[in-house]
Each structure stands twice: as C-alpha cells, then as structure tokens.
Amino acid sequence: GDIRRTAPSRSPQPGKPPVPGSAITTTLKNEVDALIEMEKILGKGYSPKVIKYEKVPAAGDDVYRLTMEKVGDKNLWQAFVDGTIDSDMWQDIGNQVVRMVQKLGKNGFAHGDIKADNFMFALEGGKPRVWIIDPVGFPKNFPKPSLEKYIKKDMDDVVEMLRTIHKAIEGGYFPPL
C-alpha cells in the first residue's frame, strides 16, 4: 500500500506532524509491524493508517518514529467519562468493538492490550465511530496454543470492558477525569 519506510530525515519543526491530519509517536519496531498487520486485517477505516516509519538515529536499533493517520477525538474511556457516550450509542459502539476484535482473532492476530484507552472515539454525523489502536500484537510464528490463549483473552477483555462501561452508563456513574 502507501506505507513507506524512509531514511532518517531532519524536520524543520521537530515533533510537528509532517502530514496534515497525522500523528507522530516513537515506538518499537514490533509495534510498527503489529499496526501494519492490524491495518491489513481490518481494512481501511478501523485502525490508523501507517503513513511512514523511520529509524530514530542514535536511539537504538529497534526504535522508530511512526507517522500515522490521526483518528478520533478522544479514546473510548475519555468519551465515557466526559458523558459523550450515552446508552443509545452503547450498542453500536459495542458491536463495532466486537467485530474488530473478532476479525483480528479469526485472522490469527491477538491485539494483546484490550482496554477502553486503546479505542479511539468520534461522533461522525451524530453516530459513534470507533478505531482500535496500540496493539502489542503477536507474530504469526507465535506458538499456536499460546496465540489462541491470547485471542481468547482479547475477547474476554472486550466483554469485561463493555460490561463495565455499560453498567456505569446505565447506573449513571461517571468517574472523575
């Protein structure tokens, strides 16, 4: 696709995204690989698009600067806490989350860090939209019994996350920011 591995470059404004609508982070190479794999499995629009990545000079062999599409206004936890999410939206959000994690699992990919902070949220035309971010990810050559255990744990974590937030919404409990 459009993913480009580039040589280290000097930016006139360090830390400022070089592409409008993008975000920059520093991460490890295995996390870059996991994001790219997750994007391939889920298809366009369910995880941030990796625009480019480059090795960070003098930071170690495994440290990369990642430029990716900026998605969502806040994470799912923040949207819950500030009251953006109401009970009418919850079923749609839950369906989106479950579909994404199930599709990853069916394709042999375990996210490895399912929590509300790792789903970005926005309202698009008054409807909730969710993207999955920040995978730990497990390589395809990970031992199958262990990988299956992590895929099951991802689903268990989704159920627990959704159940907890739903109970809080229904009960009117919104923890402080």
Side-chain angles (χ1 to χ4, degrees):
D2 295 285
I3 299 166
R4 292 175 288 154
R5 183 161 183 212
T6 61
S9 63
R10 298 190 198 293
S11 172
Q13 298 173 322
K16 184 175 181 187
V19 178
S22 68
I24 292 179
T25 189
T26 303
T27 190
L28 299 176
K29 178 68 167 79
N30 66 314
E31 292 170 355
V32 172
D33 293 342
L35 264 172
I36 292 168
E37 183 68 20
M38 194 169 70
E39 181 186 354
K40 285 179 187 174
I41 292 169
L42 293 176
K44 185 178 178 182
Y46 295 99
S47 67
K49 179 181 178 180
V50 174
I51 297 169
K52 69 176 183 175
Y53 59 98
E54 57 195 7
K55 198 172 251 197
V56 177
D61 288 342
D62 204 29
V63 179
Y64 284 76
R65 182 176 298 113
L66 171 65
T67 304
M68 63 188 158
E69 170 188 29
K70 185 176 180 333
V71 294
D73 302 323
K74 54 187 99 180
N75 68 45
L76 196 54
W77 180 251
Q78 292 164 327
F80 157 67
V81 171
D82 73 13
T84 304
I85 297 172
D86 62 28
S87 59
D88 293 337
M89 296 177 193
W90 193 241
Q91 185 172 357
D92 189 18
I93 292 168
N95 286 337
Q96 290 178 54
V97 168
V98 168
R99 277 195 309 268
M100 284 186 273
V101 176
Q102 281 180 334
K103 188 170 184 179
L104 291 172
K106 286 179 182 175
N107 283 278
F109 184 92
H111 182 280
D113 194 19
I114 298 292
K115 59 185 178 185
D117 292 358
N118 284 338
F119 290 89
M120 295 303 293
F121 172 86
L123 288 173
E124 292 184 347
K127 296 191 184 274
R129 179 78 198 288
V130 181
W131 296 263
I132 189 169
I133 63 167
D134 206 13
V136 172
F138 294 90
K140 292 231 182 240
N141 62 356
F142 205 72
K144 189 169 179 155
S146 295
L147 181 60
E148 288 170 353
K149 179 179 97 177
Y150 284 108
I151 290 170
K152 181 181 180 332
K153 184 178 180 330
D154 276 359
M155 288 310 302
D156 292 345
D157 289 349
V158 164
V159 169
E160 186 60 32
M161 176 188 77
L162 296 175
R163 181 181 294 132
T164 300
I165 296 176
H166 182 259
K167 283 182 182 178
I169 290 171
E170 292 299 309
Y173 167 73
F174 292 92
L177 283 172

Short mmCIF file of all heavy atoms in Angstrom, two decimals, residues 57-118:
data_model
loop_
_atom_site.label_atom_id
_atom_site.label_comp_id
_atom_site.label_asym_id
_atom_site.label_seq_id
_atom_site.Cartn_x
_atom_site.Cartn_y
_atom_site.Cartn_z
N PRO A 57 17.69 7.93 14.71
CA PRO A 57 19.15 7.86 14.83
C PRO A 57 19.59 7.94 16.29
O PRO A 57 19.02 8.66 17.08
CB PRO A 57 19.64 9.10 14.06
CG PRO A 57 18.49 9.55 13.25
CD PRO A 57 17.25 9.08 13.93
N ALA A 58 20.56 7.16 16.64
CA ALA A 58 21.19 7.15 17.97
C ALA A 58 20.24 6.78 19.09
O ALA A 58 20.52 7.03 20.26
CB ALA A 58 21.83 8.51 18.25
N ALA A 59 19.08 6.19 18.79
CA ALA A 59 18.13 5.81 19.84
C ALA A 59 18.09 4.30 20.04
O ALA A 59 17.32 3.80 20.83
CB ALA A 59 16.74 6.32 19.51
N GLY A 60 18.86 3.57 19.29
CA GLY A 60 18.85 2.12 19.39
C GLY A 60 18.36 1.50 18.10
O GLY A 60 17.68 2.15 17.31
N ASP A 61 18.69 0.25 17.91
CA ASP A 61 18.36 -0.43 16.66
C ASP A 61 16.87 -0.65 16.46
O ASP A 61 16.41 -0.82 15.35
CB ASP A 61 19.07 -1.79 16.59
CG ASP A 61 20.56 -1.63 16.37
OD1 ASP A 61 20.98 -0.54 15.93
OD2 ASP A 61 21.29 -2.60 16.65
N ASP A 62 16.11 -0.67 17.55
CA ASP A 62 14.70 -1.07 17.45
C ASP A 62 13.73 0.09 17.68
O ASP A 62 12.55 -0.13 17.84
CB ASP A 62 14.43 -2.17 18.49
CG ASP A 62 13.25 -3.03 18.11
OD1 ASP A 62 12.97 -3.17 16.91
OD2 ASP A 62 12.58 -3.53 19.03
N VAL A 63 14.22 1.34 17.68
CA VAL A 63 13.35 2.49 17.96
C VAL A 63 13.04 3.21 16.66
O VAL A 63 13.94 3.56 15.89
CB VAL A 63 14.01 3.45 18.97
CG1 VAL A 63 13.11 4.65 19.24
CG2 VAL A 63 14.32 2.72 20.27
N TYR A 64 11.74 3.43 16.43
CA TYR A 64 11.27 4.05 15.19
C TYR A 64 10.36 5.23 15.48
O TYR A 64 9.65 5.25 16.48
CB TYR A 64 10.50 3.02 14.34
CG TYR A 64 11.41 2.05 13.65
CD1 TYR A 64 12.02 1.02 14.36
CD2 TYR A 64 11.69 2.19 12.30
CE1 TYR A 64 12.88 0.14 13.73
CE2 TYR A 64 12.55 1.31 11.67
CZ TYR A 64 13.14 0.29 12.38
OH TYR A 64 13.99 -0.57 11.76
N ARG A 65 10.38 6.21 14.58
CA ARG A 65 9.43 7.31 14.60
C ARG A 65 8.31 6.92 13.64
O ARG A 65 8.56 6.61 12.48
CB ARG A 65 10.08 8.62 14.16
CG ARG A 65 9.13 9.81 14.20
CD ARG A 65 9.84 11.12 13.84
NE ARG A 65 10.89 11.39 14.82
CZ ARG A 65 12.20 11.39 14.54
NH1 ARG A 65 12.63 11.13 13.32
NH2 ARG A 65 13.10 11.63 15.47
N LEU A 66 7.12 6.91 14.14
CA LEU A 66 5.97 6.44 13.38
C LEU A 66 5.05 7.62 13.08
O LEU A 66 4.67 8.35 13.99
CB LEU A 66 5.23 5.39 14.21
CG LEU A 66 3.88 4.89 13.73
CD1 LEU A 66 4.03 4.14 12.41
CD2 LEU A 66 3.25 4.01 14.78
N THR A 67 4.72 7.81 11.83
CA THR A 67 3.73 8.81 11.43
C THR A 67 2.51 8.03 10.97
O THR A 67 2.61 7.18 10.09
CB THR A 67 4.25 9.70 10.29
OG1 THR A 67 5.48 10.30 10.70
CG2 THR A 67 3.24 10.79 9.95
N MET A 68 1.39 8.33 11.60
CA MET A 68 0.17 7.61 11.26
C MET A 68 -1.00 8.57 11.20
O MET A 68 -0.94 9.69 11.70
CB MET A 68 -0.10 6.50 12.26
CG MET A 68 -0.35 6.97 13.65
SD MET A 68 -0.43 5.58 14.78
CE MET A 68 -0.05 6.43 16.29
N GLU A 69 -2.06 8.12 10.58
CA GLU A 69 -3.28 8.89 10.48
C GLU A 69 -3.82 9.18 11.89
O GLU A 69 -3.81 8.32 12.75
CB GLU A 69 -4.29 8.04 9.70
CG GLU A 69 -5.68 8.55 9.68
CD GLU A 69 -6.64 7.56 9.04
OE1 GLU A 69 -6.40 6.34 9.11
OE2 GLU A 69 -7.63 8.03 8.48
N LYS A 70 -4.25 10.41 12.11
CA LYS A 70 -4.88 10.76 13.38
C LYS A 70 -6.35 10.36 13.29
O LYS A 70 -7.05 10.76 12.37
CB LYS A 70 -4.75 12.26 13.65
CG LYS A 70 -5.28 12.68 15.00
CD LYS A 70 -5.01 14.16 15.22
CE LYS A 70 -5.47 14.70 16.52
NZ LYS A 70 -6.56 14.10 17.20
N VAL A 71 -6.79 9.57 14.25
CA VAL A 71 -8.19 9.11 14.24
C VAL A 71 -8.85 9.45 15.58
O VAL A 71 -8.22 9.42 16.62
CB VAL A 71 -8.30 7.59 13.99
CG1 VAL A 71 -7.83 7.23 12.59
CG2 VAL A 71 -7.54 6.79 15.04
N GLY A 72 -10.13 9.78 15.51
CA GLY A 72 -10.90 10.03 16.72
C GLY A 72 -10.53 11.32 17.42
O GLY A 72 -9.49 11.92 17.17
N ASP A 73 -11.44 11.75 18.30
CA ASP A 73 -11.24 12.98 19.08
C ASP A 73 -10.69 12.66 20.46
O ASP A 73 -10.05 13.50 21.08
CB ASP A 73 -12.58 13.70 19.27
CG ASP A 73 -13.24 14.06 17.95
OD1 ASP A 73 -12.51 14.40 17.01
OD2 ASP A 73 -14.47 13.98 17.88
N LYS A 74 -10.98 11.48 20.95
CA LYS A 74 -10.60 11.05 22.30
C LYS A 74 -10.70 9.55 22.34
O LYS A 74 -11.27 8.93 21.44
CB LYS A 74 -11.50 11.69 23.34
CG LYS A 74 -12.99 11.44 23.10
CD LYS A 74 -13.89 12.20 24.05
CE LYS A 74 -14.41 13.43 23.37
NZ LYS A 74 -15.27 14.24 24.17
N ASN A 75 -10.16 8.94 23.39
CA ASN A 75 -10.31 7.49 23.48
C ASN A 75 -11.67 7.15 24.10
O ASN A 75 -12.38 8.02 24.60
CB ASN A 75 -9.12 6.84 24.21
CG ASN A 75 -9.03 7.17 25.67
OD1 ASN A 75 -10.03 7.16 26.42
ND2 ASN A 75 -7.82 7.46 26.14
N LEU A 76 -12.02 5.89 24.03
CA LEU A 76 -13.33 5.44 24.48
C LEU A 76 -13.54 5.72 25.97
O LEU A 76 -14.63 6.11 26.39
CB LEU A 76 -13.47 3.95 24.18
CG LEU A 76 -14.85 3.33 24.23
CD1 LEU A 76 -15.83 4.07 23.34
CD2 LEU A 76 -14.77 1.87 23.81
N TRP A 77 -12.50 5.57 26.76
CA TRP A 77 -12.62 5.85 28.19
C TRP A 77 -12.92 7.33 28.43
O TRP A 77 -13.81 7.68 29.20
CB TRP A 77 -11.35 5.44 28.93
CG TRP A 77 -11.46 5.71 30.40
CD1 TRP A 77 -10.80 6.67 31.10
CD2 TRP A 77 -12.29 5.04 31.33
NE1 TRP A 77 -11.17 6.63 32.43
CE2 TRP A 77 -12.08 5.63 32.59
CE3 TRP A 77 -13.20 3.98 31.24
CZ2 TRP A 77 -12.74 5.22 33.74
CZ3 TRP A 77 -13.85 3.56 32.38
CH2 TRP A 77 -13.63 4.18 33.60
N GLN A 78 -12.20 8.22 27.75
CA GLN A 78 -12.45 9.65 27.90
C GLN A 78 -13.87 10.02 27.47
O GLN A 78 -14.53 10.82 28.12
CB GLN A 78 -11.43 10.46 27.08
CG GLN A 78 -10.02 10.37 27.59
CD GLN A 78 -9.00 10.85 26.57
OE1 GLN A 78 -9.18 10.70 25.37
NE2 GLN A 78 -7.91 11.42 27.07
N ALA A 79 -14.33 9.42 26.38
CA ALA A 79 -15.69 9.69 25.90
C ALA A 79 -16.73 9.22 26.90
O ALA A 79 -17.77 9.86 27.10
CB ALA A 79 -15.91 9.03 24.54
N PHE A 80 -16.46 8.11 27.56
CA PHE A 80 -17.36 7.61 28.59
C PHE A 80 -17.36 8.55 29.79
O PHE A 80 -18.40 8.98 30.27
CB PHE A 80 -16.95 6.20 29.01
CG PHE A 80 -17.41 5.81 30.38
CD1 PHE A 80 -18.74 5.64 30.65
CD2 PHE A 80 -16.49 5.62 31.40
CE1 PHE A 80 -19.17 5.29 31.93
CE2 PHE A 80 -16.90 5.27 32.66
CZ PHE A 80 -18.24 5.11 32.93
N VAL A 81 -16.17 8.92 30.26
CA VAL A 81 -16.05 9.73 31.48
C VAL A 81 -16.65 11.12 31.29
O VAL A 81 -17.32 11.63 32.18
CB VAL A 81 -14.56 9.83 31.92
CG1 VAL A 81 -14.38 10.84 33.04
CG2 VAL A 81 -14.07 8.46 32.38
N ASP A 82 -16.45 11.72 30.11
CA ASP A 82 -16.97 13.09 29.94
C ASP A 82 -18.44 13.12 29.53
O ASP A 82 -19.01 14.18 29.30
CB ASP A 82 -16.10 13.91 28.99
CG ASP A 82 -16.20 13.52 27.52
OD1 ASP A 82 -17.12 12.77 27.13
OD2 ASP A 82 -15.35 13.98 26.75
N GLY A 83 -19.07 11.95 29.43
CA GLY A 83 -20.50 11.89 29.16
C GLY A 83 -20.88 11.97 27.70
O GLY A 83 -22.06 12.06 27.36
N THR A 84 -19.89 11.91 26.79
CA THR A 84 -20.19 11.94 25.35
C THR A 84 -20.99 10.72 24.93
O THR A 84 -21.88 10.80 24.10
CB THR A 84 -18.88 12.01 24.53
OG1 THR A 84 -18.13 13.14 24.95
CG2 THR A 84 -19.17 12.09 23.05
N ILE A 85 -20.68 9.57 25.53
CA ILE A 85 -21.36 8.32 25.19
C ILE A 85 -22.59 8.18 26.06
O ILE A 85 -22.51 8.25 27.28
CB ILE A 85 -20.42 7.11 25.42
CG1 ILE A 85 -19.22 7.20 24.49
CG2 ILE A 85 -21.18 5.80 25.21
CD1 ILE A 85 -18.16 6.15 24.78
N ASP A 86 -23.73 7.95 25.42
CA ASP A 86 -24.94 7.69 26.19
C ASP A 86 -25.41 6.26 25.90
O ASP A 86 -24.86 5.57 25.05
CB ASP A 86 -26.03 8.72 25.89
CG ASP A 86 -26.48 8.72 24.43
OD1 ASP A 86 -26.40 7.68 23.76
OD2 ASP A 86 -26.93 9.78 23.97
N SER A 87 -26.43 5.84 26.60
CA SER A 87 -26.88 4.45 26.47
C SER A 87 -27.41 4.15 25.07
O SER A 87 -27.35 3.01 24.63
CB SER A 87 -27.93 4.12 27.53
OG SER A 87 -29.02 5.00 27.41
N ASP A 88 -27.89 5.15 24.35
CA ASP A 88 -28.37 4.92 22.99
C ASP A 88 -27.24 4.57 22.02
O ASP A 88 -27.45 3.88 21.04
CB ASP A 88 -29.11 6.16 22.46
CG ASP A 88 -30.40 6.44 23.21
OD1 ASP A 88 -30.96 5.48 23.81
OD2 ASP A 88 -30.83 7.60 23.22
N MET A 89 -26.04 5.05 22.30
CA MET A 89 -24.88 4.78 21.43
C MET A 89 -24.20 3.47 21.77
O MET A 89 -23.44 2.93 20.97
CB MET A 89 -23.83 5.89 21.59
CG MET A 89 -24.24 7.24 21.16
SD MET A 89 -22.86 8.34 21.53
CE MET A 89 -23.66 9.90 21.33
N TRP A 90 -24.43 3.00 22.98
CA TRP A 90 -23.60 1.93 23.51
C TRP A 90 -23.64 0.65 22.70
O TRP A 90 -22.63 0.01 22.48
CB TRP A 90 -23.93 1.67 24.98
CG TRP A 90 -22.88 0.82 25.58
CD1 TRP A 90 -23.02 -0.40 26.11
CD2 TRP A 90 -21.49 1.11 25.63
NE1 TRP A 90 -21.81 -0.89 26.52
CE2 TRP A 90 -20.84 0.02 26.22
CE3 TRP A 90 -20.70 2.18 25.21
CZ2 TRP A 90 -19.47 -0.03 26.42
CZ3 TRP A 90 -19.34 2.13 25.41
CH2 TRP A 90 -18.73 1.03 26.02
N GLN A 91 -24.81 0.27 22.22
CA GLN A 91 -24.92 -0.98 21.45
C GLN A 91 -24.11 -0.87 20.15
O GLN A 91 -23.40 -1.81 19.79
CB GLN A 91 -26.37 -1.32 21.14
CG GLN A 91 -26.49 -2.66 20.45
CD GLN A 91 -27.93 -3.11 20.30
OE1 GLN A 91 -28.85 -2.47 20.76
NE2 GLN A 91 -28.11 -4.25 19.65
N ASP A 92 -24.18 0.26 19.48
CA ASP A 92 -23.43 0.44 18.24
C ASP A 92 -21.93 0.38 18.51
O ASP A 92 -21.17 -0.27 17.78
CB ASP A 92 -23.81 1.78 17.59
CG ASP A 92 -23.23 1.93 16.20
OD1 ASP A 92 -22.83 0.92 15.58
OD2 ASP A 92 -23.18 3.08 15.71
N ILE A 93 -21.48 1.05 19.58
CA ILE A 93 -20.06 1.02 19.93
C ILE A 93 -19.62 -0.41 20.24
O ILE A 93 -18.60 -0.88 19.75
CB ILE A 93 -19.79 1.95 21.14
CG1 ILE A 93 -19.98 3.40 20.72
CG2 ILE A 93 -18.39 1.70 21.71
CD1 ILE A 93 -20.02 4.37 21.87
N GLY A 94 -20.41 -1.10 21.06
CA GLY A 94 -20.09 -2.49 21.40
C GLY A 94 -19.99 -3.38 20.18
O GLY A 94 -19.06 -4.19 20.06
N ASN A 95 -20.92 -3.21 19.23
CA ASN A 95 -20.89 -4.01 18.01
C ASN A 95 -19.62 -3.74 17.19
O ASN A 95 -19.00 -4.67 16.67
CB ASN A 95 -22.13 -3.73 17.15
CG ASN A 95 -23.38 -4.34 17.71
OD1 ASN A 95 -23.33 -5.30 18.49
ND2 ASN A 95 -24.52 -3.78 17.36
N GLN A 96 -19.22 -2.47 17.09
CA GLN A 96 -18.01 -2.14 16.35
C GLN A 96 -16.78 -2.78 16.99
O GLN A 96 -15.94 -3.38 16.31
CB GLN A 96 -17.82 -0.62 16.29
CG GLN A 96 -18.82 0.11 15.42
CD GLN A 96 -18.59 1.61 15.47
OE1 GLN A 96 -17.48 2.09 15.21
NE2 GLN A 96 -19.64 2.36 15.78
N VAL A 97 -16.69 -2.65 18.31
CA VAL A 97 -15.54 -3.19 19.04
C VAL A 97 -15.47 -4.71 18.88
O VAL A 97 -14.42 -5.27 18.54
CB VAL A 97 -15.60 -2.79 20.53
CG1 VAL A 97 -14.59 -3.57 21.36
CG2 VAL A 97 -15.38 -1.28 20.69
N VAL A 98 -16.57 -5.38 19.09
CA VAL A 98 -16.60 -6.85 19.00
C VAL A 98 -16.23 -7.30 17.59
O VAL A 98 -15.43 -8.22 17.41
CB VAL A 98 -17.97 -7.40 19.44
CG1 VAL A 98 -18.11 -8.87 19.07
CG2 VAL A 98 -18.16 -7.20 20.95
N ARG A 99 -16.81 -6.66 16.56
CA ARG A 99 -16.50 -7.04 15.17
C ARG A 99 -15.01 -6.91 14.87
O ARG A 99 -14.41 -7.80 14.25
CB ARG A 99 -17.31 -6.20 14.18
CG ARG A 99 -18.70 -6.71 13.94
CD ARG A 99 -19.35 -6.09 12.70
NE ARG A 99 -19.28 -4.64 12.67
CZ ARG A 99 -20.23 -3.82 13.15
NH1 ARG A 99 -21.31 -4.30 13.70
NH2 ARG A 99 -20.08 -2.51 13.05
N MET A 100 -14.39 -5.82 15.32
CA MET A 100 -12.97 -5.63 15.06
C MET A 100 -12.12 -6.71 15.73
O MET A 100 -11.26 -7.32 15.09
CB MET A 100 -12.51 -4.25 15.54
CG MET A 100 -12.93 -3.12 14.64
SD MET A 100 -12.22 -1.55 15.18
CE MET A 100 -13.44 -1.01 16.37
N VAL A 101 -12.37 -6.94 17.00
CA VAL A 101 -11.54 -7.90 17.75
C VAL A 101 -11.78 -9.32 17.25
O VAL A 101 -10.84 -10.11 17.13
CB VAL A 101 -11.77 -7.76 19.27
CG1 VAL A 101 -10.99 -8.81 20.04
CG2 VAL A 101 -11.36 -6.36 19.74
N GLN A 102 -13.02 -9.66 16.91
CA GLN A 102 -13.30 -10.98 16.34
C GLN A 102 -12.58 -11.18 15.00
O GLN A 102 -12.01 -12.23 14.75
CB GLN A 102 -14.81 -11.18 16.14
CG GLN A 102 -15.55 -11.54 17.38
CD GLN A 102 -17.03 -11.73 17.13
OE1 GLN A 102 -17.61 -11.18 16.20
NE2 GLN A 102 -17.66 -12.52 18.00
N LYS A 103 -12.59 -10.14 14.16
CA LYS A 103 -11.93 -10.26 12.86
C LYS A 103 -10.43 -10.44 13.03
O LYS A 103 -9.82 -11.24 12.32
CB LYS A 103 -12.23 -9.03 11.99
CG LYS A 103 -11.75 -9.17 10.58
CD LYS A 103 -12.26 -8.06 9.69
CE LYS A 103 -11.83 -8.29 8.26
NZ LYS A 103 -12.33 -7.24 7.36
N LEU A 104 -9.85 -9.72 13.97
CA LEU A 104 -8.42 -9.91 14.24
C LEU A 104 -8.16 -11.35 14.67
O LEU A 104 -7.25 -12.01 14.14
CB LEU A 104 -7.95 -8.95 15.34
CG LEU A 104 -7.89 -7.47 14.97
CD1 LEU A 104 -7.59 -6.63 16.21
CD2 LEU A 104 -6.88 -7.20 13.87
N GLY A 105 -8.95 -11.85 15.61
CA GLY A 105 -8.77 -13.22 16.11
C GLY A 105 -8.94 -14.27 15.04
O GLY A 105 -8.17 -15.23 14.97
N LYS A 106 -9.96 -14.10 14.18
CA LYS A 106 -10.19 -15.07 13.10
C LYS A 106 -9.04 -15.10 12.11
O LYS A 106 -8.86 -16.07 11.39
CB LYS A 106 -11.50 -14.75 12.37
CG LYS A 106 -12.72 -15.11 13.17
CD LYS A 106 -14.00 -14.77 12.44
CE LYS A 106 -15.19 -15.10 13.31
NZ LYS A 106 -16.46 -14.68 12.70
N ASN A 107 -8.28 -14.01 12.07
CA ASN A 107 -7.12 -13.94 11.17
C ASN A 107 -5.81 -14.22 11.89
O ASN A 107 -4.74 -13.89 11.39
CB ASN A 107 -7.09 -12.58 10.48
CG ASN A 107 -8.11 -12.48 9.37
OD1 ASN A 107 -7.86 -12.93 8.27
ND2 ASN A 107 -9.27 -11.94 9.69
N GLY A 108 -5.91 -14.83 13.09
CA GLY A 108 -4.71 -15.24 13.81
C GLY A 108 -3.92 -14.11 14.43
O GLY A 108 -2.71 -14.20 14.60
N PHE A 109 -4.61 -13.00 14.77
CA PHE A 109 -3.92 -11.85 15.36
C PHE A 109 -4.52 -11.55 16.72
O PHE A 109 -5.73 -11.37 16.85
CB PHE A 109 -4.09 -10.63 14.45
CG PHE A 109 -3.33 -9.41 14.91
CD1 PHE A 109 -2.05 -9.16 14.45
CD2 PHE A 109 -3.89 -8.50 15.79
CE1 PHE A 109 -1.34 -8.04 14.85
CE2 PHE A 109 -3.20 -7.37 16.20
CZ PHE A 109 -1.92 -7.14 15.73
N ALA A 110 -3.68 -11.51 17.74
CA ALA A 110 -4.11 -11.12 19.08
C ALA A 110 -3.61 -9.71 19.34
O ALA A 110 -2.42 -9.43 19.17
CB ALA A 110 -3.56 -12.07 20.13
N HIS A 111 -4.51 -8.80 19.69
CA HIS A 111 -4.15 -7.41 19.98
C HIS A 111 -3.24 -7.35 21.20
O HIS A 111 -2.20 -6.70 21.20
CB HIS A 111 -5.41 -6.57 20.21
CG HIS A 111 -5.16 -5.13 20.47
ND1 HIS A 111 -4.78 -4.66 21.71
CD2 HIS A 111 -5.22 -4.06 19.65
CE1 HIS A 111 -4.63 -3.35 21.64
NE2 HIS A 111 -4.90 -2.95 20.40
N GLY A 112 -3.66 -8.01 22.28
CA GLY A 112 -2.81 -8.14 23.46
C GLY A 112 -2.94 -7.05 24.50
O GLY A 112 -2.32 -7.14 25.56
N ASP A 113 -3.74 -6.01 24.24
CA ASP A 113 -3.89 -4.93 25.23
C ASP A 113 -5.25 -4.27 25.07
O ASP A 113 -5.36 -3.05 24.88
CB ASP A 113 -2.76 -3.90 25.07
CG ASP A 113 -2.65 -2.95 26.26
OD1 ASP A 113 -3.17 -3.29 27.34
OD2 ASP A 113 -2.05 -1.87 26.10
N ILE A 114 -6.29 -5.07 25.16
CA ILE A 114 -7.66 -4.57 25.00
C ILE A 114 -8.07 -3.81 26.25
O ILE A 114 -8.09 -4.37 27.35
CB ILE A 114 -8.66 -5.72 24.75
CG1 ILE A 114 -8.32 -6.44 23.44
CG2 ILE A 114 -10.09 -5.22 24.76
CD1 ILE A 114 -8.53 -5.64 22.18
N LYS A 115 -8.36 -2.53 26.07
CA LYS A 115 -8.88 -1.68 27.14
C LYS A 115 -9.47 -0.44 26.47
O LYS A 115 -9.16 -0.13 25.30
CB LYS A 115 -7.80 -1.31 28.14
CG LYS A 115 -6.61 -0.59 27.55
CD LYS A 115 -5.52 -0.38 28.58
CE LYS A 115 -4.31 0.31 27.95
NZ LYS A 115 -3.23 0.43 28.89
N ALA A 116 -10.30 0.27 27.20
CA ALA A 116 -11.01 1.42 26.63
C ALA A 116 -10.05 2.49 26.11
O ALA A 116 -10.37 3.21 25.16
CB ALA A 116 -11.97 2.01 27.66
N ASP A 117 -8.86 2.61 26.71
CA ASP A 117 -7.88 3.60 26.26
C ASP A 117 -7.34 3.27 24.87
O ASP A 117 -6.77 4.15 24.22
CB ASP A 117 -6.68 3.65 27.22
CG ASP A 117 -7.03 4.21 28.58
OD1 ASP A 117 -8.19 4.61 28.79
OD2 ASP A 117 -6.14 4.26 29.43
N ASN A 118 -7.48 2.04 24.42
CA ASN A 118 -6.93 1.63 23.13
C ASN A 118 -7.98 1.57 22.02
O ASN A 118 -7.79 0.89 21.01
CB ASN A 118 -6.20 0.30 23.26
CG ASN A 118 -4.85 0.49 23.93
OD1 ASN A 118 -4.29 1.58 23.93
ND2 ASN A 118 -4.33 -0.57 24.51
#
